[in-house]
Amino acid sequence: MSEFLEATFDKFIFRVKEEYLYHPDELWVDIQESYATVGLTDFLQKTKGDIIFLETIGLGTIIKQGEEIGKIETIKAVETLISPVSGKVVEINPEMEENPYIINEDPYKAGWIYRIEPANLESDKAVLLNAAEYFELMKQKVSREAKKLYG
């Protein structure tokens, strides 16, 4: 069994990691015992293009679900990142400062951005989608993007 759900459009394969949770604003969450790892979805990194810069919030910052937690700059646009969970930032991926493009290469593993110590995980989960739910949402987004490109 694959660890990803996949949808193909044109030359792109969009992947959704099955055991993660997803915020509708394109960030994934991998919940561990004492922290939640957060990163960008495959859909976001593919549709926005090569990431050339990542602006993060500071270590120790207290955040709420739905608040801005940074920005990515790509060759196409600047995109605001929205926190999928509430809590305290306890780690920032040290690779991101020098190599933000690692998100494009491996968005679900090496390309993680934050580790957050959750504050309200049970209530945050009410907003998050499981992989199958997010996969359906992503397919709708792919369809909308295709209509923009091809009419």
Side-chain angles (χ1 to χ4, degrees), residues 7-142:
T8 303
F9 175 77
D10 199 16
K11 63 182 178 182
F12 297 102
I13 297 173
F14 296 98
R15 299 167 68 196
V16 174
K17 191 153 178 70
E18 291 198 83
E19 65 265 19
Y20 290 178
L21 295 175
Y22 295 84
H23 191 275
D25 287 320
E26 303 304 329
L27 271 75
W28 56 261
V29 182
D30 179 20
I31 299 170
Q32 303 298 314
E33 286 189 32
S34 61
Y35 63 87
T37 302
V38 173
L40 300 183
T41 63
D42 186 47
F43 174 80
L44 182 63
Q45 66 87 18
K46 281 188 175 137
T47 56
K48 297 304 177 187
D50 293 339
I51 297 170
I52 55 176
F53 182 74
L54 173 69
E55 176 186 315
T56 59
I57 57 175
L59 199 59
T61 302
I62 304 296
I63 54 168
K64 291 188 176 160
Q65 184 182 52
E67 287 183 345
E68 180 179 326
I69 57 169
K71 295 182 188 304
I72 58 166
E73 183 177 336
T74 71
I75 57 173
K76 296 180 182 179
V78 173
E79 186 78 22
T80 298
L81 305 178
I82 302 299
S83 183
V85 294
S86 300
K88 179 180 177 182
V89 176
V90 294
E91 190 175 352
I92 300 169
N93 187 339
E95 289 289 314
M96 289 299 131
E97 191 170 315
E98 296 295 321
N99 304 312
Y101 59 83
I102 198 166
I103 295 170
N104 295 110
E105 294 172 353
D106 189 6
Y108 292 122
K109 289 284 184 201
W112 65 274
I113 300 171
Y114 296 109
R115 292 219 166 96
I116 297 171
E117 184 179 282
N120 303 311
L121 196 51
E122 289 311 310
S123 62
D124 287 349
K125 283 182 181 179
V127 174
L128 301 175
L129 307 171
N130 67 34
E133 293 167 330
Y134 173 73
F135 185 67
E136 291 306 314
L137 176 64
M138 184 201 66
K139 288 193 306 186
Q140 292 170 11
K141 290 179 180 185
V142 168

